[in-house]
Amino acid sequence: MTNSEENYIKEIYKLSLINSNHVTTNEIAYELSTKPPSVSDMLKKLSKKKLINYEKYKGVNLTSKGQNLAIYLTRKHRLWEFFLVNCLKYNWDEVHNIAEQLEHVKSEDLINRLDKFLGFPKIDPHGEPIPDINGVFNYLDSKSLDNLGINNIGKVVGVKTDDTDFLKYLDKINISIGSKLKIIDINKFDQSFEIEIKNQVRNISFDVAKNILILC
Amino acid sequence: MTNSEENYIKEIYKLSLINSNHVTTNEIAYELSTKPPSVSDMLKKLSKKKLINYEKYKGVNLTSKGQNLAIYLTRKHRLWEFFLVNCLKYNWDEVHNIAEQLEHVKSEDLINRLDKFLGFPKIDPHGEPIPDINGVFNYLDSKSLDNLGINNIGKVVGVKTDDTDFLKYLDKINISIGSKLKIIDINKFDQSFEIEIKNQVRNISFDVAKNILILC
DNA sequence: ATTAATTTTTAGTCTAATCTAATTATTTTT
DNA sequence: AAAAATAATTAGATTAGACTAAAAATTAAT
Ligand SMILES: [Mn+2]
Ligand SMILES: [Mn+2]
Ligand SMILES: [Mn+2]
Ligand SMILES: [Mn+2]
């Protein structure tokens, strides 16, 4: 397994959660900042390794072997992120890129020891569940903020992306995991949300709202 | 900087400590388990980057830029080894290969935070000094065991290789960092050493003796 | 049902890192 | 000083992963 193959598998996994298991070449290319011909090449290779189901022109999804691998890579990524925030005192917006490197270190034993050292954490710094040694994990019963209505109250339990700019923005407007907030109003024109958080009223765009996970 | 370039720089550094700054193509190839033509290619590349001084057929040594890089890579390698042994409870014979991977993670900040998290250790699990953030480090005033004479007494303060088989063997014969030992006899035929350690007399080969560092 | 637009794949090129086989330099022996 | 042995380099191939440009398949519009 090369790093590149692993990155493709992780990305296909991520996209298939959004697109109900049907992932296209162009999507993968866009997300990995590569070009469609590179993706086509890689899909052939992953298909030959039985990690994906692939028919030319028909899109792609993971086999169960591919899915297990994706979950294992996700486990590694999130455990390293947990380590970076909790041990090395990184902020949650700084860890994704380093974890992208650390996740490719090859040693199952290393990850299981790291897991133990960290106290078998269940949730990463962005509120995402960390698969255990058997690949088992549970999502909280949360919704993204854009699904809430006026006067709804909830608690932030996670984010859907760990993009640095997005997380820095949340820091700036004082939203973090655990924050309680209330929907004051929804702007009919641009779907932006007026929310109350820590006794301050703020406006956030629909795009931002979509990426915040709330438990009511 | 690719991983491969980094591995060559580290190896040239290691060899130039032994061979007083004159490193040959074949040596590098042998140590990196690669072939001389691959080394020749890489030497050209490293030379173009001003990391080594290289003249065809004349061997090679590091520029000061290359040396700084080598020391930085050594710092990363040894800090990760310290982490693996002291946090993840690995045995000293298990950590080298994992550290070979971790050392290539690109983030200076990560290493400086790791250093702080570990309490700025000065010595790695094999008794080797860990360069600080400025690349400064000190060797103990130790000699390898083969330089001692009969009846000399000393304490093991380090090893010269972190080869798994070598370290496993030391574990088996009860030698670890801190062990006190005494030279009982030296076999004139094969230069093997008879030593007393923890009230037991053992025989070790010249090759093993050469790789054990002693402080008298 | 054609035509047009979009998506995906193929064809061919490039770079990094490796290899084997052949050639050239250097060093050692005679 | 010439021959032999050793060491290092060049030549040419290969593999992984990426790219551009061109072709083919699919989907959307008229
Ligand atoms: Mn992440
Ligand atoms: Mn990655
Ligand atoms: Mn090591
Ligand atoms: Mn390495």
Side-chain angles (χ1 to χ4, degrees):
Chain A
M1 264 291 143
T2 65
N3 289 5
S4 189
E5 289 173 311
E6 291 185 346
N7 286 338
Y8 276 91
I9 289 293
K10 250 189 24 169
E11 195 56 51
I12 293 167
Y13 177 69
K14 201 181 295 174
L15 287 170
S16 63
L17 293 179
I18 304 171
N19 302 345
S20 54
N21 250 8
H22 186 268
V23 181
T24 67
T25 302
N26 276 1
E27 279 171 342
I28 299 170
Y30 178 77
E31 290 298 328
L32 293 181
S33 305
T34 179
K35 295 285 145 64
S38 311
V39 177
S40 279
D41 282 353
M42 183 57 88
L43 294 183
K44 280 179 206 156
K45 196 167 22 144
L46 296 176
S47 180
K48 199 171 290 173
K49 291 191 175 185
K50 310 266 185 223
L51 292 164
I52 60 174
N53 299 118
Y54 170 54
E55 262 187 287
K56 270 192 209 174
Y57 295 102
K58 304 284 180 194
V60 76
N61 62 27
L62 294 174
T63 62
S64 70
K65 188 177 165 199
Q67 197 159 346
N68 290 341
L69 175 58
I71 290 169
Y72 174 56
L73 292 168
T74 301
R75 167 171 161 82
K76 298 210 281 183
H77 182 94
R78 292 180 183 165
L79 281 173
W80 280 118
E81 286 192 343
F82 188 95
F83 169 74
L84 293 171
V85 168
N86 291 77
C87 297
L88 302 195
K89 307 304 175 195
Y90 273 102
N91 199 289
W92 69 341
D93 63 308
E94 304 173 303
V95 296
H96 183 72
N97 289 329
I98 300 176
E100 277 300 315
Q101 295 184 65
L102 287 164
E103 76 192 2
H104 299 294
V105 172
K106 267 88 186 166
S107 168
E108 282 204 35
D109 184 45
L110 172 65
I111 289 305
N112 295 334
R113 282 178 189 251
L114 181 65
D115 195 9
K116 184 178 181 184
F117 175 66
L118 298 174
F120 305 105
K122 297 247 170 302
I123 306 284
D124 86 359
H126 311 104
E128 304 272 22
I130 301 175
D132 71 12
I133 191 172
N134 299 310
V136 176
F137 63 99
N138 289 299
Y139 279 101
L140 288 174
D141 187 27
S142 60
K143 330 175 195 181
S144 53
L145 200 154
D146 62 298
N147 288 311
L148 303 193
I150 293 170
N151 284 325
N152 280 180
I153 290 176
K155 200 172 76 174
V156 177
V157 292
V159 290
K160 278 193 173 172
T161 169
D162 35 21
D163 177 84
T164 301
D165 290 329
F166 173 69
L167 296 173
K168 275 213 169 89
Y169 173 69
L170 292 193
D171 280 349
K172 195 172 144 196
I173 62 176
N174 249 298
I175 293 179
S176 59
I177 289 180
S179 300
K180 274 180 195 147
L181 52 76
K182 179 179 173 184
I183 314 289
I184 305 293
D185 202 4
I186 301 173
N187 185 329
K188 294 231 169 71
F189 175 64
D190 65 357
Q191 300 292 107
S192 70
F193 284 69
E194 202 171 296
I195 60 173
E196 186 185 320
I197 181 157
K198 290 177 188 145
N199 297 318
Q200 291 188 307
V201 175
R202 301 199 174 264
N203 232 93
I204 61 175
S205 73
F206 183 72
D207 261 9
V208 167
K210 261 198 323 200
N211 281 293
I212 298 176
L213 290 171
I214 303 291
L215 197 66
C216 292
Chain B
M1 264 293 142
T2 64
N3 288 6
S4 188
E5 288 174 313
E6 291 184 346
N7 286 338
Y8 276 92
I9 290 292
K10 251 189 23 170
E11 194 56 50
I12 294 167
Y13 177 69
K14 201 180 296 174
L15 288 170
S16 63
L17 293 178
I18 303 170
N19 303 344
S20 54
N21 251 9
H22 187 268
V23 181
T24 66
T25 301
N26 277 0
E27 279 172 342
I28 300 170
Y30 178 77
E31 290 297 329
L32 293 180
S33 304
T34 177
K35 295 284 144 65
S38 311
V39 176
S40 279
D41 282 352
M42 183 59 87
L43 294 183
K44 281 180 207 155
K45 199 174 9 153
L46 296 175
S47 179
K48 199 171 292 172
K49 292 192 175 185
K50 309 264 184 224
L51 292 164
I52 60 173
N53 300 119
Y54 170 57
E55 262 186 286
K56 270 192 209 174
Y57 295 102
K58 303 287 180 191
V60 78
N61 63 27
L62 294 174
T63 62
S64 69
K65 188 177 163 198
Q67 197 160 345
N68 290 340
L69 176 58
I71 290 169
Y72 174 55
L73 293 168
T74 302
R75 166 171 161 80
K76 297 209 283 183
H77 183 94
R78 291 179 184 165
L79 281 172
W80 280 118
E81 286 191 342
F82 188 95
F83 168 74
L84 293 171
V85 168
N86 291 77
C87 296
L88 303 195
K89 308 302 174 196
Y90 273 101
N91 199 291
W92 69 340
D93 64 308
E94 304 173 301
V95 296
H96 183 73
N97 289 329
I98 299 175
E100 277 300 315
Q101 296 184 65
L102 286 164
E103 76 192 2
H104 299 293
V105 172
K106 267 88 186 166
S107 167
E108 283 204 34
D109 184 46
L110 171 65
I111 289 306
N112 295 334
R113 282 176 190 252
L114 181 65
D115 196 9
K116 183 177 182 184
F117 175 66
L118 299 174
F120 304 105
K122 298 246 169 304
I123 306 284
D124 87 358
H126 312 103
E128 304 273 21
I130 301 175
D132 72 11
I133 190 171
N134 299 309
V136 177
F137 63 99
N138 290 299
Y139 279 101
L140 288 174
D141 187 27
S142 60
K143 330 174 193 181
S144 54
L145 201 152
D146 62 298
N147 288 311
L148 302 193
I150 292 171
N151 283 328
N152 281 180
I153 290 177
K155 198 173 76 174
V156 176
V157 292
V159 289
K160 278 191 171 173
T161 169
D162 35 21
D163 177 86
T164 301
D165 290 329
F166 173 68
L167 296 174
K168 276 215 169 90
Y169 173 68
L170 293 194
D171 279 349
K172 194 172 145 197
I173 63 177
N174 248 299
I175 294 180
S176 58
I177 288 181
S179 302
K180 275 181 193 146
L181 51 76
K182 180 178 174 183
I183 314 288
I184 304 294
D185 201 4
I186 301 173
N187 186 329
K188 294 231 168 67
F189 174 63
D190 65 358
Q191 300 292 109
S192 70
F193 283 69
E194 203 170 293
I195 61 174
E196 186 185 320
I197 181 156
K198 291 179 187 145
N199 299 317
Q200 292 189 305
V201 175
R202 300 198 175 265
N203 233 92
I204 60 177
S205 72
F206 183 71
D207 260 9
V208 167
K210 261 197 324 198
N211 281 294
I212 298 176
L213 291 171
I214 304 291
L215 196 66
C216 293

